[in-house]
Amino acid sequence: MDDMDMDIPLPEELEFLESNSHFAEQQEEEDRHYYFPDLDPTAEIHESNSQQSPPPPDLAAPSAEPESSGHKRSCPPSPSPPEEEKRAKVRVAVEEDSSAAAADEDWLRYSPPPVPEGEPAVEEMAFEKEKTLSRYASEIDGECMPITAPSGNRVYAKLNRFQGEERVTKLDYNGYSTELSSEPVNVILERLEQEAFAKALEASSEGQSVLDVPEAQMVHERLWVDKYAPKSFTELLSDEQTNREVLLWLKQWDSIVFGSEIRSTSDDVLSALKRHSSIVHNQKPLNSKFPRMSRGPRWSNGRRYKNSRSMDESGSSKSIQDIWNAKSRNIGPPEPKILLLCGPPGLGKTTLAHVAARQCGYHVVEVNASDDRSTATIEAKILDVVQMNSVLSDSRPKCLVVDEIDGALGDGKGAVEVLLKMISSERKPDAGKQSLGKGQQERKSSKKGSKTASLSRPVICICNDLYAPALRPLRQVAKVHIFVQPTVSRVVNRLTYICNKEGMKASAIALTALAEYTECDIRSCLNSLQFLFKKKQALNVFDIGSQVVGQKDMSKNVLDIWKEIFHKRRTKKIERKSHRGKSFEFDSLYSLVSNRGDSNLILDGIHENVLRLNYHDPVMQKTVECFNNLGVYDLMHQYIMHTQQLPLYVYLPLVAITVHHIVSQVQKPTIEWPKSHQRYRTMMMEKMDILNTWHHKIPPYIARNLSASSFVEDLISPLLHILSPPTIRPVAFQLLSDKEKNDLAQLVSTMVSYTITYKTVKSDMLPQTQRCEVADGLALSLVPPISDFINFKDYTSNHNVLSVAMKQVLVHEVEKHKILQVSNDKTGAFTNGGHEVIETGTNNIPLANTNHATAVDMKTNENQANVLSQQLNANPTAVSPNLNSDKSSIAADCGKLLNMGNVKKPSRTSSSFFDRFKKVNVKGLQSNDRSLPEEATLDKDRYPILFKYNEGFTNAVKRPVRMREFLSL
Amino acid sequence: MLWVDKYRPKTLDQVMVHTDIAHNLKKLVTEQDSPHLLFYGPSGSGKKTLIMALLRQMFGPGAEKVKVENRTWKIDAGSRSLDLELTTLSSANHIEMSPSDAGFQDRYIVQEVIKEMAKNRPIDTKGKKGFKVLVLNDVDKLSREAQHSLRRTMEKYSAYCRLILCCNSSSRVTEAIRSRCLNVRINAPSEEQIVQVLEFIGKKEGLQLPPGFAARIAEKSNRNLRRAILSFETCRVLQYPFTNKQAIPPMDWEEYISEIASDIMKEQSPKRLFQVRGKLYELLINCIPPEIILKRLLYELLRKLDAELKHEVCHWAAYYEYRMRLGQKAIFHIEAFVAKFMSIYKSFLIATFG
């Protein structure tokens, strides 16, 4: 055993020495640590057999002992420094051994419990280690020999022996305590230590991995969109003509921008000289100014200005002329001071603005109108660009790029307003200067000019939607360039170049499909490619839709949607591609229609334009199918509105897709905006209003039996025939026959009962189809305008049209009839009217004999019309029974008869001498029953004279007067 | 006045057409109580004439003295307050109105008017009927919600308010309302009855009618008494004395539809369909109901067709008319019918003549 103990520490010492010298040898040490526990268990077994179990407080004592023993043994040796150093190293090694031993103890505790077969294996391992120890001992001995071979050998052997014993005791104590009393506690502690150790290991490993990964990402993770953005003019993908025009527009600013900046910096002068081939006259003043700056040191701006003034004054006339020429040339900025680039996203609008401005020597300042929305913020930025220059030596004039300007606020807010103010402020001072007004006005204008800033730098605005409402005032001022999509081949070439550089495998066909799918959106293409590249996926032609490549959610113009619906793209003949094309087409159409959201308008457009297409449909089955689908849309939409099941809106775009499948053609369709339905609705409402208004005006005893539909269906067409009879003549009332009078009365009563009349309308207002006398400049038309309801297009109705004279007569009669009707209503003489009708009926019977006499009387009346009017006026003065008085009385009777005829509906009574006589007789009989016999005798004696007198007085004078007349007679 | 108003019967005794119905109504009203009534029948058959005569029988000549009111109701419907305006005819004992004029707010009108009549019921009922009458026109145009609200209201206030409903088509009135009313069917008059009325008017006007003239007018009128009388008066105005073969002037919109049918028969192509669409829009603009257009178009097309296609064309006309009533844009469905007819006719021509 002693020999064994002497051999064990030697390899330990060797290990420690080797660890200090070499890093790689640490692994070997670890391996040897694993071998050490094999030795210890044998010692433990022996000691455990010999000794009894000690109590727990004994553990503290053995731990204290090795320290004291170490100190004691260190005191006796000589105080030489190298020896002390060696001992210190030995102590350090001992401590390390103790820690390693602790770990080994942990392992040992687990090994004893297994089957006793393990023990012989352990013993075999121990023997092997002894052999190895002997080798190292020889080496150590070799090192120790030159210093103090005998004392060194002795000291090391002794220390190792004591330490080994102490370890054995520790092991024994620990083992006994765990086994007997507090095994679970110790087990728990061990587990905790192991867990802590494992966590520490994981943390260290994680730290290492974290350190590596972000560095790699930082190096390689630059976006392809930024990495491969065009740096020069030739790399731009957009249209060549647009690129050149933008560049030319920027060049037009050079006379203002670079001319005025010559004095400030020499670099600008140099760049201007290099770029422009200017006239010799321009070159001379530049050259002359340049040496001044080179001669003198850099002074302040004020001093430079003074020097320039003095030179100009002292200079010759040529220099003065050159200066004037320069000034005249500087007054030449491009007329549209703002450039507006519009187009769909991803076509390179912003890139073009940046590249072109940089090419022309500007420093680009970008302002995003969607970020800076208020006027104050963006005005400050714009003023900075326009009025200030950077202090750096290599400064360039600034060019303002306002991006996403259609996102700006409209109605006097946002970026657009600021730009418009600056442009308008320039014009006002010019107007003020031009006008040779008073001095005060000039002063005011000068003040205003000084206050407001003028636009002396180019401004490029970029937007997606040219027709956004916020851009309406800007469109009128700016120069507009519309970006069209670049060709697919050009985009594919660029994508191929980028894929080759990045080492991504993608075929030209796949790239073509990607470009088509994203509508030549280069930004979307690059982002998709980079994403797929990072996922280690190849670009697949057939799975572009299913892959993460997505389309932007944007709503298109309605006209474009209709074109997409009616236009079929040429599909290739390969079956697979055609299959992909169909599903792709369906998805794109569905997103188009559903994103628009206004399905009513889309379907109206389809309905309006579907019949203009030239599709092959021999038996019109396709047309029927289209209209059936439109009907389905109408039913579904009505159902959604009625039941308020709005989720069903999802199915409405399918109608448009079905129509697309039925009638789409390869040739481009001509689309018109749907107007007919709206026009139909508007005009129908107007005519319905006319009907309702007319319905309310008609007296209720007639209107209650009619409804609006029966008006149009049954009434208007016959009524127009009735209102314009062909038999009526525009002749005086007196000349009409009985039949004609009856017809006229009937017509007038009809017009009155239905509140129809004629009114004068300007001839311009009348439609051309109506017959009207243009010479008069006036035309009478029906009010309400009933004839409009039969004014169908390309239809000529066979209704008779009355002449203007006849219409005027009717208007007059209708007015008269209304007045009489009002008066009759006031008196409320319905029953009396009935009686009168009966009386007139009875009187009509004996009229036949006296018709001729009445005719003669009428003729005489007409012949003496003027005389009659005069005599009517003179009637109250004349009292004597003269011929004149008789005639006047006859005329008055005629007028009354006319009125009575108009009032009474069955006005068949013809005015006759005997009718009037009989009426008077009847009235006389009714009123004066007592004086019947006297009147009879008077009548018999003086028949003609008595009748005349009675007739006149009964109509004009009251009863007392009548008595006087009787007395006089 | 027009003859159609002049010779309108004012009492149940004077009724010439539907004499049996008038007789039954008279007996119904002679007793001191009458149920809710529903008059249904086509336009021009005399529904409103019978209703007016019935009211006169109920309330005496005072029922004819009506005034027009443009009333405004303020209605509190839940959290909203609505102002509804409607024109009504009212007398001391009855109110006439067309609630469908109020559009989709017709349910409130119906309830409020009946409640108001119930509130203002007469206190003294001696010698008078204890209820008022509300005449509702165009009940088939009421929305379904309005008809449902009417159903409860007419039950609740039946003691004070009796309804007389008037509509063209009873199928559009809900069964709940139909079962609460006494249904009076006013069918279109037969041609013999129309001839009888025309002869009566001729006698009154002192006109000499040639034999067969009245029959021709009756035939042209499509069993519509209003149209027949108006045509009669038109013939009188255009030419009198009458001749045996005098031309009876047609309705202008019917002539226009006849032109459309001719266009359809001449050519069947999308271009022609486009022209037909323009003409259909003209008819719709002039307030002619789309159902009438479709029906008349079918009639005109059937006159020009062979017997083989008539059944099929009638089927498709019914199909598209049904869809038109379910939907909202009538032009879609009328045009679909025209396209379908063109397709069928063209197939027939190709099959027949090669």
Side-chain angles (χ1 to χ4, degrees):
Chain A
M1 289 295 292
D2 294 337
D3 292 338
M4 294 289 289
D5 292 333
M6 289 177 70
D7 291 331
I8 291 169
L10 294 175
E12 291 177 359
E13 292 178 358
L14 289 171
E15 289 174 1
F16 293 124
L17 290 172
E18 289 175 358
S19 67
N20 290 328
S21 63
H22 296 289
F23 177 77
E25 291 179 358
Q26 290 179 357
Q27 295 180 357
E28 295 178 359
E29 290 177 354
E30 291 176 358
D31 294 336
R32 289 166 187 174
H33 284 296
Y34 288 118
Y35 288 121
F36 272 106
D38 297 335
L39 291 175
D40 291 338
T42 59
E44 289 178 358
I45 293 166
H46 291 289
E47 291 179 356
S48 65
N49 291 328
S50 64
Q51 295 179 1
Q52 295 178 355
S53 64
D58 293 341
L59 289 173
S63 64
E65 288 177 359
E67 294 177 358
S68 62
S69 64
H71 288 293
K72 290 177 180 178
R73 291 175 184 177
S74 65
C75 291
S78 64
S80 64
E83 291 180 357
E84 289 179 356
E85 290 178 358
K86 289 181 181 179
R87 289 172 183 175
K89 290 180 182 179
V90 170
R91 289 174 185 175
V92 171
V94 168
E95 291 177 359
E96 291 180 0
D97 286 338
S98 65
S99 65
D104 294 336
E105 289 173 1
D106 294 336
W107 291 102
L108 287 173
R109 290 170 187 173
Y110 292 101
S111 61
V115 183
E117 293 178 357
E119 293 177 359
V122 171
E123 291 175 357
E124 291 175 357
M125 295 293 289
F127 286 111
E128 291 176 357
K129 289 183 178 180
E130 289 175 358
K131 292 179 181 179
T132 58
L133 289 171
S134 64
R135 294 175 185 176
Y136 291 109
S138 64
E139 291 179 359
I140 294 170
D141 291 336
E143 291 178 357
C144 294
M145 289 295 291
I147 304 172
T148 54
S151 64
N153 289 329
R154 292 178 183 178
V155 168
Y156 283 120
K158 291 178 182 179
L159 287 172
N160 287 325
R161 291 173 187 175
F162 285 107
Q163 289 176 358
E165 290 176 357
E166 289 172 359
R167 290 173 189 174
V168 170
T169 56
K170 288 181 182 179
L171 290 171
D172 294 338
Y173 293 139
N174 289 329
Y176 285 112
S177 65
T178 55
E179 288 177 359
L180 293 175
S181 64
S182 64
E183 184 178 359
V185 172
N186 288 325
V187 168
I188 291 166
L189 290 172
E190 289 167 4
R191 288 176 184 173
L192 286 175
E193 288 175 1
Q194 288 178 359
E195 288 175 0
F197 186 70
K199 287 181 181 178
L201 286 173
E202 289 177 359
S204 63
S205 65
E206 286 179 356
Q208 290 177 358
S209 65
V210 167
L211 288 172
D212 294 335
V213 172
E215 291 177 359
Q217 287 181 357
M218 291 177 67
V219 171
H220 299 291
E221 283 291 333
R222 192 180 176 189
L223 286 177
W224 292 5
V225 171
D226 299 328
K227 188 175 179 182
Y228 294 101
K231 302 284 193 309
S232 62
F233 195 78
T234 54
E235 292 179 3
L236 290 168
L237 287 176
S238 51
D239 188 21
E240 285 290 339
Q241 185 178 0
T242 306
N243 298 346
R244 290 196 196 100
E245 287 181 0
V246 170
L247 197 65
L248 181 63
W249 181 80
L250 283 170
K251 286 293 182 182
Q252 291 176 4
W253 281 88
D254 288 344
S255 60
I256 276 191
V257 175
F258 293 99
S260 63
E261 290 295 326
I262 288 167
R263 299 175 183 178
S264 63
T265 55
S266 61
D267 293 338
D268 288 337
V269 173
L270 290 173
S271 62
L273 285 172
K274 290 178 182 178
R275 286 190 175 82
H276 310 299
S277 61
S278 60
I279 306 170
V280 175
H281 290 288
N282 281 335
Q283 285 179 354
K284 287 182 178 180
L286 293 175
N287 290 326
S288 64
K289 289 177 182 178
F290 186 71
R292 295 173 192 172
M293 299 176 68
S294 65
R295 290 174 185 176
R298 292 187 176 180
W299 295 337
S300 64
N301 292 325
R303 291 181 181 179
R304 290 178 185 176
Y305 190 65
K306 289 179 181 179
N307 289 330
S308 64
R309 284 184 178 179
S310 63
M311 292 298 294
D312 290 336
E313 290 175 356
S314 63
S316 64
S317 63
K318 291 183 180 180
S319 64
I320 292 168
Q321 289 178 358
D322 292 335
I323 291 164
W324 280 109
N325 291 328
K327 287 184 181 179
S328 65
R329 285 164 187 167
N330 285 331
I331 308 169
E335 182 57 30
K337 294 201 167 184
I338 296 177
L339 188 72
L340 183 60
L341 306 178
C342 58
L347 299 189
K349 301 185 291 298
T350 308
T351 305
L352 170 60
H354 281 256
V355 168
R358 198 177 300 116
Q359 185 83 19
C360 293
Y362 290 93
H363 174 66
V364 178
V365 175
E366 183 171 339
V367 173
N368 198 304
S370 296
D371 295 340
D372 305 316
R373 288 175 159 266
S374 62
T375 304
T377 304
I378 202 163
E379 188 167 12
K381 290 193 176 183
I382 292 174
L383 291 179
D384 290 346
V385 170
V386 169
Q387 292 178 344
M388 297 179 186
N389 287 321
S390 61
V391 185
L392 299 177
S393 61
D394 61 350
S395 66
R396 291 180 168 186
K398 293 181 178 178
C399 172
L400 180 67
V401 172
V402 186
D403 206 350
E404 299 184 16
I405 197 167
D406 50 346
L409 299 174
D411 298 333
K413 307 171 185 175
V416 177
E417 184 64 18
V418 176
L419 296 172
L420 292 176
K421 279 181 182 177
M422 301 179 77
I423 293 172
S424 62
S425 66
E426 278 199 359
R427 292 177 181 176
K428 289 179 182 178
D430 294 336
K433 291 176 183 177
Q434 290 176 0
S435 66
L436 299 174
K438 298 179 180 179
Q440 293 179 356
Q441 290 180 356
E442 289 177 356
R443 291 177 184 175
K444 290 181 180 178
S445 64
S446 64
K447 289 180 181 178
K448 291 179 181 177
S450 63
K451 289 180 181 177
T452 58
S454 63
L455 192 64
S456 61
R457 288 288 183 275
V459 176
I460 300 176
C461 302
I462 296 163
C463 67
N464 292 125
D465 186 8
L466 177 64
Y467 298 101
L471 295 181
R472 181 174 294 147
L474 189 65
R475 278 200 301 272
Q476 300 168 1
V477 177
K479 184 179 183 183
V480 177
H481 281 296
I482 298 174
F483 270 59
V484 295
Q485 288 183 359
T487 56
V488 175
S489 60
R490 196 166 180 180
V491 174
V492 169
N493 287 333
R494 183 69 180 164
L495 293 177
T496 305
Y497 169 76
I498 292 169
C499 287
N500 289 334
K501 276 221 163 185
E502 293 291 331
M504 179 178 182
K505 295 181 180 179
S507 63
I509 298 172
L511 291 175
T512 304
L514 178 63
E516 286 176 353
Y517 188 78
T518 57
E519 296 177 356
C520 299
D521 186 340
I522 191 73
R523 181 188 295 118
S524 181
C525 290
L526 285 177
N527 286 332
S528 302
L529 287 174
Q530 189 170 13
F531 182 78
L532 292 175
F533 183 66
K534 283 298 166 183
K535 282 180 60 180
K536 308 273 182 177
Q537 287 186 2
L539 187 65
N540 196 348
V541 180
F542 309 111
D543 298 332
I544 277 184
S546 64
Q547 280 182 342
V548 192
V549 182
Q551 276 186 327
K552 298 181 180 179
D553 197 35
M554 57 182 180
S555 67
K556 271 195 168 184
N557 193 4
V558 187
L559 291 171
D560 295 334
I561 292 174
W562 287 321
K563 285 178 182 175
E564 288 290 329
I565 288 170
F566 293 131
H567 178 63
K568 180 189 286 183
R569 293 174 181 173
R570 297 177 180 276
T571 54
K572 298 178 180 178
K573 294 181 179 178
I574 302 172
E575 292 180 359
R576 290 184 178 179
K577 291 183 178 178
S578 67
H579 179 71
R580 179 200 66 81
K582 283 184 180 179
S583 63
F584 169 76
E585 202 170 22
F586 182 91
D587 289 335
S588 67
L589 271 179
Y590 187 85
S591 62
L592 270 182
V593 177
S594 63
N595 288 336
R596 178 68 196 183
D598 196 351
S599 56
N600 260 331
L601 182 57
I602 291 169
L603 270 293
D604 277 343
I606 291 170
H607 175 252
E608 187 87 11
N609 293 285
V610 73
L611 292 177
R612 300 174 200 270
L613 305 177
N614 296 319
Y615 50 91
H616 183 64
D617 191 13
V619 204
M620 289 186 71
Q621 289 178 352
K622 291 183 178 179
T623 308
V624 172
E625 200 64 30
C626 282
F627 282 104
N628 281 340
N629 279 282
L630 290 175
V632 166
Y633 167 81
D634 186 32
L635 298 183
M636 191 176 288
H637 187 264
Q638 182 71 2
Y639 181 80
I640 290 167
M641 284 297 152
H642 191 71
T643 60
Q644 293 291 304
Q645 295 187 13
L646 298 181
L648 293 177
Y649 267 122
V650 178
Y651 302 103
L652 292 182
L654 298 179
V655 173
I657 295 167
T658 308
V659 171
H660 169 79
H661 287 311
I662 294 169
V663 299
S664 63
Q665 294 292 317
V666 175
Q667 56 186 351
K668 289 283 185 178
T670 58
I671 305 293
E672 288 189 6
W673 191 269
K675 295 187 281 276
S676 56
H677 194 80
Q678 192 168 359
R679 184 180 69 93
Y680 143 72
R681 187 173 296 180
T682 305
M683 293 182 69
M684 182 181 176
M685 291 185 72
E686 286 179 7
K687 302 216 167 175
M688 192 61 74
D689 282 344
I690 292 170
L691 276 185
N692 287 326
T693 306
W694 184 31
H695 189 84
H696 293 322
K697 286 180 180 176
I698 292 175
Y701 61 91
I702 293 172
R704 74 203 303 187
N705 294 295
L706 294 164
S707 62
S709 60
S710 62
F711 265 119
V712 178
E713 292 174 37
D714 298 330
L715 183 65
I716 285 180
S717 201
L719 188 60
L720 286 170
H721 282 294
I722 292 167
L723 292 178
S724 58
T727 58
I728 288 184
R729 297 179 291 121
V731 188
F733 186 77
Q734 294 80 7
L735 297 180
L736 294 174
S737 63
D738 295 343
K739 179 184 175 184
E740 288 172 353
K741 285 177 183 176
N742 287 332
D743 292 346
L744 185 62
Q746 179 85 10
L747 175 58
V748 168
S749 70
T750 300
M751 291 177 73
V752 168
S753 63
Y754 280 84
T755 61
I756 296 167
T757 184
Y758 291 95
K759 285 186 179 177
T760 57
V761 179
K762 294 180 181 178
S763 60
D764 297 335
M765 299 289 289
L766 288 174
Q768 295 177 357
T769 55
Q770 283 192 3
R771 300 171 183 176
C772 60
E773 298 182 359
V774 183
D776 295 344
L778 290 175
L780 289 163
S781 70
L782 277 169
V783 172
I786 309 166
S787 57
D788 290 346
F789 287 91
I790 57 167
N791 264 341
F792 303 121
K793 192 176 179 182
D794 300 330
Y795 177 77
T796 56
S797 64
N798 53 358
H799 288 283
N800 186 27
V801 179
L802 294 178
S803 61
V804 176
M806 194 64 232
K807 289 179 180 177
Q808 288 173 353
V809 169
L810 286 173
V811 168
H812 176 69
E813 293 294 332
V814 167
E815 292 295 328
K816 190 195 297 183
H817 195 92
K818 286 181 179 177
I819 293 168
L820 290 173
Q821 197 174 24
V822 170
S823 63
N824 283 331
D825 291 338
K826 289 180 180 178
T827 57
F830 283 109
T831 55
N832 294 328
H835 289 294
E836 287 174 358
V837 168
I838 296 168
E839 292 173 357
T840 53
T842 56
N843 290 328
N844 286 331
I845 296 170
L847 287 174
N849 296 325
T850 60
N851 282 330
H852 296 290
T854 56
V856 170
D857 291 339
M858 296 294 289
K859 290 180 181 179
T860 55
N861 289 328
E862 289 176 0
N863 291 327
Q864 300 178 1
N866 295 325
V867 177
L868 287 172
S869 64
Q870 292 176 0
Q871 289 176 355
L872 281 170
N873 292 327
N875 189 15
T877 58
V879 178
S880 63
N882 294 324
L883 182 61
N884 292 329
S885 64
D886 292 337
K887 291 181 179 180
S888 65
S889 65
I890 291 167
D893 292 337
C894 291
K896 292 179 182 178
L897 283 174
L898 286 173
N899 294 331
M900 295 174 70
N902 291 329
V903 170
K904 297 173 183 176
K905 296 172 184 177
S907 61
R908 296 177 181 176
T909 60
S910 61
S911 62
S912 65
F913 186 79
F914 288 97
D915 282 339
R916 284 169 286 173
F917 174 76
K918 288 187 177 181
K919 287 182 182 178
V920 171
N921 286 334
V922 170
K923 291 181 180 178
L925 287 171
Q926 290 178 357
S927 61
N928 300 320
D929 294 334
R930 295 177 183 179
S931 63
L932 281 174
E934 294 179 358
E935 290 179 354
T937 56
L938 289 172
D939 290 339
K940 290 178 181 178
D941 292 338
R942 303 176 183 178
Y943 178 75
I945 299 171
L946 285 173
F947 169 76
K948 291 179 182 180
Y949 281 107
N950 289 331
E951 183 69 15
F953 288 114
T954 52
N955 286 315
V957 187
K958 293 181 180 179
R959 185 182 291 182
V961 176
R962 195 182 292 177
M963 294 302 294
R964 292 175 184 176
E965 291 297 330
F966 291 158
L967 292 175
S968 65
L969 289 174
Chain B
M1 295 176 72
L2 292 175
W3 293 349
V4 69
D5 301 313
K6 184 178 175 184
Y7 295 104
R8 186 184 299 275
K10 292 184 167 52
T11 60
L12 291 173
D13 296 328
Q14 299 173 6
V15 168
M16 296 179 66
V17 188
H18 312 301
T19 50
D20 51 348
I21 295 175
H23 188 60
N24 288 331
L25 290 173
K26 190 175 180 182
K27 286 197 292 183
L28 186 74
V29 165
T30 304
E31 302 171 3
Q32 291 298 316
D33 201 355
S34 68
H36 299 302
L37 296 168
L38 171 66
F39 289 82
Y40 63 98
S43 176
S45 60
K47 301 187 295 296
K48 294 190 181 181
T49 302
L50 277 171
I51 291 171
M52 295 307 139
L54 180 67
L55 290 173
R56 178 166 180 155
Q57 189 74 32
M58 281 181 177
F59 303 115
E64 292 179 356
K65 298 176 181 177
V66 292
K67 56 181 178 179
V68 181
E69 290 185 350
N70 211 6
R71 299 186 61 182
T72 303
W73 286 276
K74 281 203 169 184
I75 294 166
D76 296 327
S79 61
R80 301 179 296 157
S81 66
L82 304 171
D83 291 338
L84 300 177
E85 189 176 345
L86 197 67
T87 304
T88 60
L89 296 177
S90 61
S91 76
N93 297 302
H94 84 285
I95 294 176
E96 297 179 37
M97 61 192 294
S98 296
S100 58
D101 294 342
F104 63 90
Q105 296 169 341
D106 45 3
R107 72 195 81 171
Y108 307 115
I109 286 279
V110 168
Q111 291 172 354
E112 287 298 317
V113 168
I114 294 174
K115 289 176 184 175
E116 190 169 334
M117 289 178 68
K119 290 176 185 176
N120 301 331
R121 66 181 184 274
I123 298 170
D124 184 10
T125 59
K126 295 178 181 177
K128 287 186 177 179
K129 299 193 183 302
F131 55 83
K132 281 191 171 183
V133 169
L134 175 63
V135 179
L136 298 178
N137 295 317
D138 295 329
V139 175
D140 51 345
K141 295 199 179 95
L142 283 177
S143 63
R144 202 146 292 265
E145 291 80 15
Q147 295 190 32
H148 288 316
S149 65
L150 185 61
R151 151 194 192 173
R152 172 62 180 154
T153 310
M154 67 200 291
E155 276 187 352
K156 186 175 179 184
Y157 297 101
S158 62
Y160 321 113
C161 176
R162 300 299 159 84
L163 298 180
I164 296 181
L165 310 178
C166 178
C167 63
N168 286 329
S169 169
S170 65
S171 63
R172 292 178 65 89
V173 180
T174 57
E175 291 185 2
I177 289 178
R178 273 187 268 151
S179 68
R180 286 169 172 79
C181 296
L182 177 65
N183 295 314
V184 182
R185 178 167 178 268
I186 313 295
N187 57 339
S190 62
E191 292 185 3
E192 290 79 14
Q193 290 172 331
I194 293 175
V195 167
Q196 192 177 352
V197 171
L198 293 179
E199 286 173 351
F200 170 77
I201 293 173
K203 188 187 299 180
K204 288 283 183 177
E205 292 287 323
L207 304 174
Q208 296 293 329
L209 274 75
F213 182 67
R216 286 210 292 129
I217 293 177
E219 182 189 0
K220 275 273 189 175
S221 69
N222 202 21
R223 293 180 64 183
N224 188 327
L225 191 56
R226 176 186 291 114
R227 190 180 294 189
I229 296 172
L230 286 168
S231 296
F232 187 37
E233 189 168 2
T234 305
C235 293
R236 159 73 179 83
V237 166
L238 292 180
Q239 180 181 353
Y240 184 77
F242 299 123
T243 57
N244 252 326
K245 298 186 176 179
Q246 181 172 344
I248 300 168
M251 298 292 167
D252 288 290
W253 60 272
E254 288 181 353
E255 286 293 296
Y256 200 60
I257 291 178
S258 183
E259 281 187 13
I260 292 173
S262 300
D263 292 343
I264 293 169
M265 299 299 286
K266 286 175 187 172
E267 185 185 350
Q268 296 86 35
S269 65
K271 183 180 178 183
R272 181 53 60 101
L273 184 55
F274 188 76
Q275 293 173 7
V276 167
R277 173 196 288 174
K279 295 190 173 183
L280 291 172
Y281 266 131
E282 288 288 327
L283 287 166
L284 290 167
I285 281 167
N286 287 306
C287 305
I288 298 173
E291 299 88 18
I292 301 296
I293 294 171
L294 189 59
K295 183 188 281 188
R296 187 69 196 177
L297 185 61
L298 171 67
Y299 177 76
E300 295 288 340
L301 290 173
L302 288 182
R303 290 200 302 173
K304 305 171 191 288
L305 274 182
D306 295 341
E308 300 176 19
L309 294 178
K310 283 184 178 179
H311 184 269
E312 189 176 3
V313 171
C314 286
H315 163 72
W316 285 111
Y319 175 78
Y320 287 110
E321 187 190 1
Y322 176 69
R323 281 158 72 103
M324 180 166 62
R325 290 187 179 276
L326 290 182
Q328 185 181 359
K329 292 186 175 179
I331 188 65
F332 281 5
H333 304 282
I334 298 176
E335 198 166 351
F337 167 68
V338 173
K340 188 67 182 179
F341 176 84
M342 284 182 171
S343 178
I344 293 169
Y345 190 68
K346 200 168 185 181
S347 301
F348 174 75
L349 290 179
I350 290 171
T352 305
F353 302 105

